[in-house]
């Protein structure tokens, strides 16, 4: 498992005890108390699936749903996507601030947020995929429920992300749990793509031939009229029902994962060390952005995440409109996610063998040749599947590496600021804030660009300007953003030597606290 992923301190656990570490060294009593069983790690990891399942479904399908199924004007669709993602970004530091000031309960500080946000989150998610019976204010419907779901999803995901540091104070245990989490999260993207894609794929919205379209043969004519392979007419209403069925299945999965997380994970209370006084929202911004390694890491993944999000948000339209694979795009997306799932163990081994910075370079650059190839080649389904499979290998690194490096920065902050504690949720929430806000801008601009290019809702073919725009959005723009991020990564200061040094210092700090706590208890018993 990863050498140093986890990222915080405090907590006492009594789970799986072993007489010695895997390297043969003697295990301290403190390490005994912070062992995590495989069952604990699996239950913790399952909690990451809802965010990825819903995020994948929204990322791949919401744009094409708003344009071709809900039939919003591209301009209004761009407003929904931009405002929704921008609102999502704003809620992250806000919820992180509130979580950091939450009192401790019998269930912990993080788990109650997860429990109480789940029912409303699944309801709002379901209503995103429902087409209301009115036309004039349809954009308000989607904007409201999209923003509401993003808020409730944040109430789940920010505490869950920060929970990493409260399941164990041992860095290796957190690393191992995060590896489980990343594997399940990629499986979640695979599951989200499979549920949404396969259910919706059986009832694709029929395209409408334009005046310039030439029907070459009877089969092409059938496809343009909305016939499926068995010759049954597929109406737009069938497609809308399919989206609702898919969202219902995802909602049930969301609830199941939340229940497993709540009952399968025990949140460990912080050590006897007093937490710092609560700070204001803007003080929190100054705190986290004032830490140099954190600011650089945020900028790195701001740009690289933007590149992958642009690819994700426009790839379904690119496959169906530019490449002409209207009835196969959901299978192409499934291949990408399957490949990413299979590649996670490889990247986990790679980062432990060669270091995290090297893994970011290798993972991000590995997808660039395939981004170029997919837009340069002629439309060929077999080649598209091949390119998609190998692109998934690079996508896997984008899932694993950001969350693997962030706890290292939190550890580094704690070493440099030992008197400032209890701000873990702030680091996680602001980290997500910047990437989500920028992704909202990029998705809004990309959808607006399609409007300017003359995108035709449900059109069997699109103008050449739309094809060119989609090629730029899935290739040139993501590549440029990824390269900018990698240039910033060059100055990122936390290498393997510094990371291991921080680990030793924090371990000594925890051991001293544990000894002090033991001495205080013994003294109290004597008195």
């Amino acid at each position: 498992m990863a050498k140093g992923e986890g990222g915080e301190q405090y907590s006492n656990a009594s789970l799986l005890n072993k007489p010695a570490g895997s390297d043969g060294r003697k295990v301290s009593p403190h390490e005994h108390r912070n062992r995590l069983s495989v069952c604990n790690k699996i239950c913790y990891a399952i909690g990451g699936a809802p965010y990825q399942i819903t995020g994948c479904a929204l990322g791949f399908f919401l744009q094409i749903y708003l344009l071709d199924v809900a039939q919003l004007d591209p301009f209004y669709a761009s407003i929904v996507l931009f405002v929704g993602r921008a609102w999502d970004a704003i809620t992250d530091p806000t919820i992180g601030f509130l979580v950091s000031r939450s009192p401790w309960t019998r269930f912990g500080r993080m788990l109650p947020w997860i429990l109480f946000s789940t029912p409303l989150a699944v309801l709002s998610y379901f209503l995103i995929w429902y087409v209301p019976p009115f036309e004039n204010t349809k954009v308000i419907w989607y904007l409201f429920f999209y923003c509401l779901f993003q808020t409730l999803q944040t109430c789940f995901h920010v505490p869950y992300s920060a929970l990493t540091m409260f399941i164990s104070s041992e860095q290796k245990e957190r690393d191992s749990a995060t590896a489980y989490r990343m594997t399940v999260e990629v499986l979640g993207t695979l599951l989200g793509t499979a549920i949404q894609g396969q259910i919706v794929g059986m009832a694709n919205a029929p395209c409408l031939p334009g005046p310039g379209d030439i029907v070459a043969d009877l089969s092409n004519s059938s496809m343009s009229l909305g016939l499926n392979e068995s010759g049954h007419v597929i109406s737009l209403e069938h497609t809308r029902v399919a989206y609702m069925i898919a969202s219902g299945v995802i909602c049930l999965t969301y609830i199941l994962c939340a229940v497993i997380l709540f009952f399968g994970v025990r949140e460990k209370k912080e050590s006897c060390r007093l937490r710092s006084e609560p700070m204001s929202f803007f003080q929190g911004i100054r705190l986290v952005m004032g830490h140099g390694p954190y600011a650089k890491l945020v900028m790195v993944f701001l740009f690289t995440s933007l590149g992958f999000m642009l690819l994700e948000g426009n790839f379904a339209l690119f496959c169906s409109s530019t490449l002409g694979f209207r009835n196969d795009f959901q299978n192409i997306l499934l291949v990408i996610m399957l490949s990413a799932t299979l590649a996670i163990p490889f990247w986990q081994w790679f980062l432990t063998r060669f270091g995290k910075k090297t893994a970011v370079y290798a993972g991000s650059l590995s997808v660039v040749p395939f981004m170029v190839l997919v837009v340069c080649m002629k439309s060929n389904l077999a080649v598209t599947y091949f390119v998609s499979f190998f692109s998934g290998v690079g996508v896997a690194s984008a899932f694993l590496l950001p969350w693997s490096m962030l706890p290292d920065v939190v550890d580094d902050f704690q070493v440099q600021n030992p008197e400032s504690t209890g701000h873990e949720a702030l680091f996680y929430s602001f980290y997500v804030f910047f990437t989500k806000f920028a992704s909202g801008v990029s998705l809004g601009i990309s959808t607006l660009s399609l409007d300017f290019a003359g995108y035709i809702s449900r059109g069997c073919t699109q103008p050449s300007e739309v094809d060119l725009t989609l090629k730029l959005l899935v290739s040139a723009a993501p590549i440029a953003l990824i390269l900018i991020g990698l240039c910033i990564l060059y100055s990122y200061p936390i290498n393997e030597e510094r990371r291991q040094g921080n680990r030793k210092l924090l371990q000594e700090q925890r051991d001293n606290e544990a000894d002090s706590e033991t001495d205080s208890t013994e003294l109290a018993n004597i008195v």
Side-chain angles (χ1 to χ4, degrees):
M1 295 301 172
K3 275 187 178 180
E5 192 282 303
E8 250 302 316
Q9 41 282 3
Y10 2 92
S11 51
N12 297 311
S14 55
L15 293 166
L16 182 63
N17 296 329
K18 292 182 180 180
S22 58
D23 55 1
R25 65 182 179 83
K26 184 178 179 181
V27 178
S28 69
H30 177 78
E31 291 175 305
H32 276 305
R33 294 193 300 270
N34 286 280
R35 293 282 188 184
L36 294 175
S37 69
V38 173
C39 181
N40 289 133
K41 294 175 184 177
I42 292 175
C43 290
Y44 165 74
I46 288 174
Y51 181 80
Q52 296 300 338
I53 292 173
T54 56
C56 190
L58 290 168
F60 279 129
F61 292 93
L62 184 59
Q63 184 187 53
I64 199 170
Y65 168 81
L66 293 175
L67 293 173
D68 287 355
V69 181
Q71 295 185 292
L72 287 183
D73 182 271
F75 174 74
Y76 291 123
S78 69
I79 291 177
V80 172
L81 292 172
F82 166 67
V83 176
R85 295 304 286 265
W87 175 258
D88 185 24
I90 294 171
T91 60
D92 278 287
T94 305
I95 298 301
F97 172 71
L98 294 174
V99 170
S100 68
R101 301 189 67 165
S102 298
W104 178 268
T105 70
R106 58 190 294 249
F107 300 109
R109 277 201 297 145
M110 309 298 168
L111 290 174
W113 283 85
I114 293 170
L115 177 66
F116 292 117
S117 66
T118 295
L120 291 176
V122 297
L123 177 61
S124 58
Y125 178 81
F126 181 80
L127 292 175
I128 291 174
W129 303 102
Y130 172 73
V131 180
F134 43 83
E135 286 292 328
N136 295 335
T137 56
K138 205 158 45 174
V139 62
I140 297 177
W141 173 279
Y142 290 113
L143 188 58
F144 174 77
F145 283 109
Y146 189 34
C147 290
L148 179 61
F149 171 72
Q150 298 288 17
T151 302
L152 294 166
Q153 175 76 308
T154 300
C155 291
F156 182 105
H157 190 63
V158 167
Y160 173 75
S161 300
L163 187 62
T164 306
M165 299 170 291
F166 294 97
I167 55 176
S168 175
S169 64
E170 287 300 314
Q171 193 179 65
K172 285 187 177 180
E173 292 299 302
R174 297 195 307 262
D175 289 350
S176 177
T178 301
Y180 278 81
R181 171 190 166 187
M182 292 301 108
T183 302
V184 171
E185 287 195 359
V186 175
L187 286 171
T189 64
L190 179 63
L191 186 60
T193 306
I195 294 173
Q196 190 84 5
Q198 298 306 309
I199 294 177
V200 170
M202 294 186 292
N204 278 334
C207 66
L208 300 178
D213 294 334
I214 300 176
V215 178
D217 52 43
L218 181 60
S219 63
N220 285 338
S221 178
S222 297
M223 294 303 290
S224 67
L225 293 173
L227 303 182
N228 62 13
E229 293 178 355
S230 58
H232 297 125
V233 176
I234 305 173
S235 68
L236 185 59
E237 185 61 31
H238 291 149
T239 305
R240 291 175 175 177
V241 171
Y243 271 98
M244 291 181 65
I245 293 173
S247 66
V249 174
I250 288 177
C251 286
L252 291 175
T253 307
Y254 191 119
I255 294 172
L256 178 62
C257 293
V259 169
I260 292 174
L261 171 66
F262 185 80
F263 289 103
V265 173
R266 181 185 173 192
E267 185 178 340
K268 310 306 185 299
K269 196 169 185 178
E270 298 142 314
S271 71
C272 59
R273 187 193 326 182
L274 295 177
R275 297 173 61 216
S276 299
E277 288 296 319
M279 58 179 59
S280 70
F281 179 81
F282 292 103
Q283 285 177 323
I285 294 179
R286 290 195 297 269
L287 173 78
V288 298
M289 296 310 297
H291 189 57
Y294 178 82
K296 289 181 180 179
L297 187 66
V298 166
M299 294 302 294
V300 169
F301 288 110
L302 168 65
F303 286 100
T304 56
S305 297
L306 270 178
F308 284 105
M309 287 175 183
L310 268 181
L311 177 64
E312 176 189 68
N314 294 280
F315 195 71
L317 272 179
F318 175 74
C319 288
S320 61
S321 298
T322 302
L323 297 182
F325 303 137
R326 188 175 185 84
N327 295 317
D328 296 286
F329 76 89
Q330 70 273 8
N331 297 323
I332 295 171
L333 299 179
L334 192 59
V335 167
I336 294 175
M337 292 299 102
L338 177 61
S339 171
T341 304
L342 297 175
I344 281 287
F346 165 76
W347 288 116
Q348 186 66 29
W349 167 83
F350 190 96
L351 68 85
T352 59
R353 178 68 176 82
F354 299 102
K356 296 181 181 181
K357 284 183 68 171
T358 304
V360 174
Y361 279 112
S364 300
L365 291 175
S366 65
V367 77
V368 170
F370 301 104
M371 284 184 180
V372 175
L373 181 60
V374 77
V375 299
C376 292
M377 68 180 183
K378 292 183 178 180
S379 180
N380 184 299
L381 186 59
V383 175
T384 302
Y385 276 120
F386 173 81
V387 170
S388 299
F389 182 84
F390 283 97
S391 297
V393 176
V395 171
S397 68
F399 279 105
L400 175 65
L401 296 171
W403 295 108
S404 179
M405 297 177 74
L406 177 59
D408 297 338
V409 176
V410 181
D411 276 347
D412 189 75
F413 174 84
Q414 190 58 48
V415 167
Q416 296 186 28
N417 303 273
E419 74 290 344
S420 185
T421 61
H423 306 308
E424 303 84 5
L426 290 177
F427 279 91
Y428 277 80
S429 59
F430 280 109
Y431 185 77
V432 178
F433 164 77
F434 290 104
T435 55
K436 283 186 177 179
F437 185 81
S439 73
V441 173
S442 67
L443 287 175
I445 291 176
S446 66
T447 309
L448 199 58
S449 300
L450 294 175
D451 186 28
F452 290 147
Y455 180 82
I456 303 172
S457 295
R458 295 174 58 198
C460 291
T461 60
Q462 297 291 342
S464 58
E465 292 82 0
V466 172
D467 292 338
L468 177 60
T469 301
L470 285 170
K471 287 181 179 180
L472 292 174
L473 292 174
V474 302
S475 181
I479 291 173
L481 290 167
I482 288 172
L483 293 178
I484 292 173
L486 294 182
C487 289
I488 299 173
L489 180 64
Y490 183 78
S491 62
Y492 175 69
I494 301 180
N495 53 23
E496 290 302 298
E497 181 180 357
R498 179 166 169 176
R499 187 174 66 82
Q500 293 295 341
N502 287 342
R503 176 175 175 266
K504 291 179 181 179
L505 289 172
L506 287 175
Q507 187 60 56
E508 292 174 1
Q509 204 173 83
R510 297 186 194 108
D511 290 340
N512 291 335
E513 289 174 0
D515 293 340
S516 298
E517 187 176 8
T518 301
D519 293 342
S520 299
T521 302
E522 292 176 353
L523 181 60
N525 291 334
I526 294 174
V527 174

